[in-house]
């Protein structure tokens, strides 16, 4: 089966086209452009497990490098890549879709720039960002969304989301940029941060 390649705003079903699929690997990747700041560039993937209101119930539904497991173990962040160097996925998230608790309607995948303000960095300095969904059992890439170069001053991006629809899981290629980094995403998703 060919990979379904999405444009921003497109939605595609995941489980209906792949009956029996139970585990997916979500890979996110990016390249950082050379720039003069001399600072390291650290991009982080964070995952928000959202209920029907579009909010997290609590901090246990916020999965990131300091809390790598959520949704009763159904969502696991494989760990932080501090450099973004190399080919392929920079960070990976494993989702056991059949085990996601019933109250979770959406799983939002985001990428933020660590310390962006202090380091004077933004997504205009990032290229070749993508998200892809792989069937973990067969290692077959099913869905891919390349973000393109739509961003300039943003420091956070909601890349895409897996969501439930009539008992099936679908994927939405969102590609929305935010200013204010991870804190603004947390606030939007109902998580109070300092």
């Amino acid at each position: 089966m060919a990979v379904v390649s999405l444009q921003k705003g497109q939605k595609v079903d995941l489980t209906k086209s792949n009956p029996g699929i139970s585990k997916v690997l979500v890979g996110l990747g990016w390249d950082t452009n050379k720039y003069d700041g001399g600072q390291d560039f650290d991009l982080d993937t964070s995952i928000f497990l959202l209920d029907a209101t579009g909010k997290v119930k609590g901090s246990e539904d916020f999965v990131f490098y300091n809390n790598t497991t959520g949704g009763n173990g159904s969502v696991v962040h494989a760990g932080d890549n501090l450099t973004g160097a190399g080919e392929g996925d920079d960070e990976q998230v494993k989702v056991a879709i059949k085990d996601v608790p019933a109250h979770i309607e959406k799983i939002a995948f985001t990428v933020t720039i660590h310390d962006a303000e202090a380091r004077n960095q933004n997504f205009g300095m990032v290229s070749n960002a993508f998200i892809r969904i792989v069937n973990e059992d067969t290692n077959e890439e099913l869905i891919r969304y390349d973000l393109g170069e739509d961003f300039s001053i943003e420091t956070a991006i909601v890349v895409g989301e897996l969501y439930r629809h009539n008992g099936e899981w679908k994927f939405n290629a969102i590609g929305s940029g935010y200013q204010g980094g991870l804190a603004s995403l947390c606030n939007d998703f109902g998580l109070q941060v300092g």
Side-chain angles (χ1 to χ4, degrees):
M1 191 176 126
V3 177
V4 180
S5 194
L6 299 181
Q7 303 295 318
K8 180 173 176 159
Q10 284 187 311
K11 301 178 169 93
V12 65
D13 77 84
L14 173 65
T15 50
K16 207 181 280 185
S17 309
N18 302 282
I21 189 170
S22 63
K23 292 183 175 155
V24 295
L25 182 117
V26 180
L28 297 102
W30 49 77
D31 293 322
T32 51
N33 304 338
K34 294 277 175 270
Y35 79 118
D36 304 331
Q39 298 272 3
D40 286 339
F41 228 116
D42 182 11
L43 276 70
D44 296 314
T45 300
S46 305
I47 305 98
F48 295 88
L49 310 181
L50 308 174
D51 64 16
T53 66
K55 307 282 185 198
V56 295
K57 267 191 159 169
S59 56
E60 70 277 5
D61 287 341
F62 171 46
V63 177
F64 68 117
Y65 56 85
N66 274 341
N67 176 41
T68 54
T69 304
N72 291 345
S74 62
V75 178
V76 179
H77 187 310
D80 190 16
N81 173 338
L82 293 173
T83 64
E87 294 294 306
D89 301 336
D90 288 305
E91 295 191 0
Q92 293 183 329
V93 184
K94 294 183 175 188
V95 182
I97 42 183
K98 291 194 162 127
D99 300 335
V100 175
H103 75 275
I104 293 168
E105 300 260 312
K106 286 182 179 171
I107 303 172
F109 298 89
T110 72
V111 178
T112 55
I113 301 173
H114 184 66
D115 265 353
E117 226 163 89
R119 297 177 182 179
N120 206 13
Q121 295 169 346
N122 58 55
F123 272 101
M125 304 167 179
V126 176
S127 57
N128 303 325
F130 67 85
I131 183 170
R132 67 193 194 105
I133 297 182
V134 175
N135 182 336
E136 204 184 311
D137 292 326
T138 63
N139 218 14
E140 178 186 22
E141 184 173 314
L142 305 172
I143 298 168
R144 185 181 180 96
Y145 166 42
D146 290 292
L147 273 73
E149 313 294 316
D150 292 345
F151 307 100
S152 53
I153 54 176
E154 293 86 353
T155 53
I157 297 175
V158 178
V159 183
E161 66 187 14
L162 287 168
Y163 67 100
R164 291 186 204 262
H165 181 73
N166 294 338
E168 302 280 358
W169 284 96
K170 301 181 84 165
F171 178 77
N172 183 5
I174 296 178
S176 294
Y178 286 74
Q179 294 180 45
L182 186 56
S184 78
L185 287 184
C186 286
N187 290 332
D188 273 12
F189 289 132
L191 203 63
Q192 295 309 308
V193 290

